[in-house]
Every structure is written in C-alpha cells, then in structure tokens.
C-alpha cells in the first residue's frame, strides 16, 4: 500500500511561485507513475503534470512553460515548481501515484488512479 504526503501549498499573489512536494512510501520496488491533479469546487478533477518511471513528463496545456514536475527517485518524492501563477491556478492540488510505470493520459488516469494524496490548497490572488 502506497501512502502519499503532500506539502507546500499556500497563498501567493499573481505572478508568484510555489513548490509542492509529494513523498511516496510503500513502494516495494521502483516507483510507478506519479503526478498532480487539481480541482476547484463544482468542477471535475483535472490533470496538471505527470512523470513516469523513466522520467518522461507530461503537462496540461494550461501550465506548459510555467510548471515543472521533477523527481528525487532516492526519496520517491516528486515536486511541482509553479511559476508565473495566475488566479485560475487556484485549486486544491492532489498528488497521484500508480503501481504501473507508464502514465496514462490525464483524462483516463483520473478515474483509475491507484493512490491519492490528501490534497494541498493553492490560492492565487
């Protein structure tokens, strides 16, 4: 059973930066696909960024060029560096992790994610 612990959310002004972290524990061998989703009240949870077992990344179009996902494999921890933040980025951000190494497309993955973090709020004003 994989457990995810997130940190790094908070409030920031438009144009500012935040970095989210998600530490995974419980992987028996190599980590699986990991990533970030976000959700605002009344809307569906949507993909933000993912990184597969081999380090291949994928981003939602709305965050390309502003957000960067990275990983410390020794710690099974992923990071989401968020720059040039906009009010539209305001949401609850959820870390996601899978047992499989390859990351599915966000629209498919969101309904079959193996493990979710508890969520961390990001507010941009």
């Amino acid at each position: 059973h994989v457990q995810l612990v997130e940190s790094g959310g908070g409030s920031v002004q438009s144009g500012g930066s935040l970095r989210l972290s998600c530490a995974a524990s419980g992987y028996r061998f190599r980590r699986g696909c990991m990533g970030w989703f976000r959700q605002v009240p009344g809307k569906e949870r949507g993909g933000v960024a993912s990184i597969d077992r081999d380090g291949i990344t994928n981003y939602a179009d709305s965050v390309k060029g502003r957000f960067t996902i990275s990983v410390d494999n020794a710690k099974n921890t992923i990071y989401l560096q968020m720059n040039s933040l906009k009010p539209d980025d305001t949401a609850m951000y959820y870390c996601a992790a899978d047992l499989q190494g390859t990351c599915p497309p966000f629209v498919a993955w969101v309904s079959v994610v193996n493990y979710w973090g508890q969520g961390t709020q990001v507010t941009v004003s």
Side-chain angles (χ1 to χ4, degrees):
H1 183 73
V2 175
Q3 293 183 312
L4 304 174
V5 177
E6 302 158 352
S7 61
S11 297
V12 66
Q13 291 189 337
S14 183
S17 299
L18 284 173
R19 190 176 83 151
L20 306 182
S21 300
C22 174
S25 60
Y27 277 116
R28 292 186 63 189
F29 303 107
R30 292 181 67 191
R31 66 168 180 87
C33 167
M34 295 181 69
W36 295 93
F37 288 78
R38 64 187 181 186
Q39 188 172 24
V40 297
K43 293 190 176 181
E44 294 184 347
R45 193 169 296 188
V48 176
S50 65
I51 186 164
D52 74 6
R53 183 177 288 164
D54 295 323
I56 297 173
T57 59
N58 186 39
Y59 296 94
D61 287 344
S62 59
V63 307
K64 284 180 180 177
R66 300 188 299 122
F67 291 11
T68 302
I69 189 169
S70 60
V71 63
D72 182 337
N73 284 314
K75 298 180 180 179
N76 275 346
T77 298
I78 62 169
Y79 305 94
L80 186 68
Q81 178 66 43
M82 304 184 292
N83 298 329
S84 302
L85 282 161
K86 307 173 182 179
D88 283 350
D89 295 317
T90 295
M92 185 72 77
Y93 283 70
Y94 294 92
C95 180
D98 246 39
L99 297 176
Q100 65 175 348
T102 301
C103 294
F106 294 129
V107 292
W109 191 24
V110 66
S111 59
V112 296
V113 167
N114 291 144
Y115 304 103
W116 289 104
Q118 79 280 6
T120 185
Q121 178 68 36
V122 171
T123 302
V124 185
S125 59

